[in-house]
Amino acid sequence: MATNLRSRGTVNDRQPMLSTPSWQRRDGRASCAMLAMVDGLRKLVIAGADIDIDVFDEAAPGCPRSEQSQIAREQLLAQRLLEIRGRGTTLVLSGNVHAEFVHRSDAPADFIPAAALVAAHTLVVALVGRHAGGASWCTLQIDGEPVTAAHPVEGHDLGTSTFLEVDPPSPSRRGVAYVGRITSSPPAA
């Protein structure tokens, strides 16, 4: 992605990035919205901003749905994020599962979210995403078959205005990033 950040942003400039495994996913991590965000960052870099993008997702060995694989993946994510954090101030975009500090009731017994693992080594402010519902591009099981498309999602309506809410200063701070109603974004590749 670093090469794309310093390019003119043409279709030919984007193609090598979009052909990587990270952009072959069929969910929000590789969506048109994510590509638009990367392009916005590219424009800031061209204008002189000192920004870099790094992919930090890690696949753990074994079946991705197994408890041991889920636990190992959080550890790998945390290790990778600490490597990246070593370069300076870091903004991480991840799913809510990875951004929590506390054990989830539906998680395996030894599951520790990546944010909690990182917070043991450095200051972390973790914002959990909230929305008013809408649609998400994802794969769901429908009648026993995986269906990848825009699917309705429920949320909790906290109004039409977006907001950030952050706990008082401490070594590890938690908060909420509320974005209102969400819309789906199909894959970019």
Side-chain angles (χ1 to χ4, degrees), residues 1 17 20 22-23 25 53-58 80-81 84 87:
M1 267 198 266
M17 178 183 72
T20 64
S22 295
W23 285 93
R25 296 182 173 110
I53 296 178
D54 219 322
V55 176
F56 66 94
D57 200 1
E58 296 285 342
R80 181 74 177 114
L81 289 170
I84 295 167
R87 293 186 232 150

Side-chain angles (χ1 to χ4, degrees), residues 7-189:
S7 73
R8 292 186 329 256
T10 67
V11 171
N12 288 339
D13 292 331
R14 277 186 284 199
Q15 195 52 44
M17 178 183 72
L18 292 175
S19 65
T20 64
S22 295
W23 285 93
Q24 301 309 304
R25 296 182 173 110
R26 310 314 292 166
D27 60 22
R29 295 174 289 181
S31 66
C32 290
M34 194 65 70
L35 181 61
M37 182 187 71
V38 170
D39 196 52
L41 293 172
R42 181 193 61 77
K43 290 173 183 173
L44 290 172
V45 168
I46 297 302
D50 184 17
I51 299 172
D52 206 356
I53 296 178
D54 219 322
V55 176
F56 66 94
D57 200 1
E58 296 285 342
C63 173
R65 300 207 188 285
S66 75
E67 290 187 2
Q68 287 308 315
S69 183
Q70 291 175 39
I71 292 165
R73 181 173 181 227
E74 293 303 304
Q75 294 167 346
L76 290 169
L77 289 173
Q79 289 171 3
R80 181 74 177 114
L81 289 170
L82 286 167
E83 289 171 16
I84 295 167
R85 172 67 180 99
R87 293 186 232 150
T89 302
T90 306
L91 174 66
V92 177
L93 182 59
S94 77
N96 284 348
V97 169
H98 314 296
E100 288 286 1
F101 289 138
V102 295
H103 185 275
R104 293 179 12 244
S105 61
D106 63 338
D110 294 331
F111 183 93
I112 302 171
L117 294 168
V118 171
H121 301 280
T122 188
L123 173 68
V124 173
V125 177
L127 300 176
V128 176
R130 296 287 184 251
H131 57 80
S136 173
W137 190 276
C138 57
T139 302
L140 296 179
Q141 292 289 326
I142 300 176
D143 297 329
E145 296 294 324
V147 177
T148 302
H151 295 285
V153 292
E154 292 185 23
H156 186 71
D157 194 345
L158 299 174
T160 57
S161 298
T162 61
F163 64 84
L164 295 177
E165 190 175 87
V166 182
D167 291 343
S170 67
S172 293
R173 297 170 67 189
R174 187 180 184 282
V176 171
Y178 177 76
V179 297
R181 192 147 181 83
I182 62 171
T183 58
S184 66
S185 180

